[in-house]
Amino acid sequence: MNCPNCGTTNLDNASICVNCGRPLSSAGGYTPPPPPAPAPSAAYTPPPTPTGVVPVQIPNYLWQSIVVTLCCCLPLGIVGIIFAAQVNDKIRQGDIAGAMEASKNAKKWTLIGFIVGIVAQVIIWALYSAAILSAIHSGQFNR
Amino acid sequence: MWILYTFPPGRGSFYPRCVFHATTGLLCPGCGTTHALHELLHGQFGAAFKSNPFFFAVMLAGVYAAPSLLRGEQPPLFMKTWFAWTCFAVTMAWWIGRNIF
């Protein structure tokens, strides 16, 4: 079937688009079979999400990472780009859990890059202001 | 916009500063974006491109991506593996290259 988002041809039983990761459902109301249930383990597993919930697209935060990189928030935005690429890689391989994990990391690093960038910006702005103020004070601007 | 048009960025201006440039003296991939914007608003495309060609590439991608993003969708190209890795490679190459040459 073709992806409604990007038009890529996917296998009929594909649950998400191999190209863009958008969830697929055919017009006939056919829902893809759920992935095989994981083996029960002794560890606590959270209750399954209610059925019928439409899976969301996995965001890769690529453009956010690029904006953070461009707006000079240190090399942290580049870490976000790497994780964004991994999201795409894993969606293509059908590794949804891995893609979700990479997506979380991409979000985390983009956010860290953004916050650190803002904080560093404020600090450096304060330092420059102090320098300029003291220069004015000491009469360096009086010609 | 008006501020960007009226006041040229440069030493001693009030614009946000590149932390990476201030601490290491090296240029980051985004260094020159404010200059490029200022020059663009004055119609000096050549000078703007010289200030930061990488910014032009990002703007092109932004023009492509805007309709999808406004619809709340992810631009299909951005979800391609090769595109994301190309973004990474171009950013790194540009960052390292501009500090060497």
Side-chain angles (χ1 to χ4, degrees), chain A residues 5-6 8 18-22 57-63 66-67 69-75 78 81-82 84-92 117 120-121 124-125 128 132, chain B residues 12-23 28-31 33 52 54-55 58 65 69 71-85 87-88 91-92 95:
Chain A
N5 186 36
C6 66
T8 302
V18 290
N19 179 43
C20 69
R22 167 180 269 239
Q57 240 184 112
I58 302 171
N60 66 0
Y61 300 101
L62 181 59
W63 71 266
I66 294 175
V67 169
T69 308
L70 189 69
C71 295
C72 212
C73 302
L74 307 165
I78 292 174
I81 296 179
I82 295 174
Q86 282 182 7
V87 172
N88 296 3
D89 258 340
K90 293 196 163 140
I91 288 174
R92 202 182 51 167
Q121 203 56 249
I124 220 139
W125 190 81
Y128 269 92
I132 290 169
Chain B
S13 68
F14 52 85
Y15 288 106
R17 253 159 240 287
C18 177
V19 179
F20 184 74
H21 185 58
T23 48
C28 90
C31 281
T33 303
N52 194 339
F54 179 73
F55 169 64
V58 173
L69 292 176
R71 282 200 308 269
E73 289 172 4
Q74 306 204 63
L77 186 62
F78 279 33
M79 298 307 285
K80 296 233 194 259
T81 305
W82 66 264
F83 182 79
W85 285 118
C87 284
F88 171 65
T91 309
M92 289 307 286
W95 185 20

Side-chain angles (χ1 to χ4, degrees), chain A residues 6-126:
Chain A
C6 66
T8 302
T9 307
N10 289 279
L11 293 174
D12 280 343
N13 60 357
S15 56
I16 61 161
C17 174
V18 290
N19 179 43
C20 69
R22 167 180 269 239
L24 301 172
S25 57
S26 58
Y30 166 75
T31 44
S41 66
Y44 168 76
T45 45
T49 48
T51 49
V53 169
V54 181
V56 287
Q57 240 184 112
I58 302 171
N60 66 0
Y61 300 101
L62 181 59
W63 71 266
Q64 290 94 330
S65 311
I66 294 175
V67 169
V68 166
T69 308
L70 189 69
C71 295
C72 212
C73 302
L74 307 165
L76 293 164
I78 292 174
V79 181
I81 296 179
I82 295 174
F83 279 117
Q86 282 182 7
V87 172
N88 296 3
D89 258 340
K90 293 196 163 140
I91 288 174
R92 202 182 51 167
Q93 292 161 5
D95 179 2
I96 300 307
M100 295 260 208
E101 189 64 32
S103 174
K104 250 192 251 165
N105 279 324
K107 184 182 184 180
K108 187 173 82 185
W109 284 101
T110 307
L111 208 64
I112 291 174
F114 182 69
I115 292 168
V116 171
I118 297 271
V119 169
Q121 203 56 249
V122 169
I123 292 172
I124 220 139
W125 190 81

Side-chain angles (χ1 to χ4, degrees), chain B residues 30-44:
Chain B
C31 281
T33 303
T34 322
H35 282 267
L37 279 170
H38 176 75
E39 284 144 3
L40 260 189
L41 290 174
H42 284 267
Q44 298 163 331

